[in-house]
Amino acid sequence: MSRLLAAAITVVAAAALAVGAALGIVALLDATPDQPNTPLITYEQAGQGS
């Protein structure tokens, strides 16, 4: 009986670990990286500047 209980606990723990890992991966993939809103190239417009 103790082997059956140990196997059941192992299965439940493995399933919980798999679900937790899947949710963690989804959370990492859904996270957006910080991107600065600064342009790399700026162009002067006609009539502006000196």
Side-chain angles (χ1 to χ4, degrees):
M1 185 68 174
S2 63
R3 280 190 177 181
L4 183 60
L5 181 62
I9 291 173
T10 303
V11 167
V12 169
L17 184 62
V19 169
L23 291 176
I25 290 171
V26 168
L28 284 176
L29 290 176
D30 194 32
T32 55
D34 293 335
Q35 296 179 350
N37 194 15
T38 55
L40 295 177
I41 301 173
T42 56
Y43 296 100
E44 291 186 19
Q45 294 181 355
Q48 293 183 357
S50 50

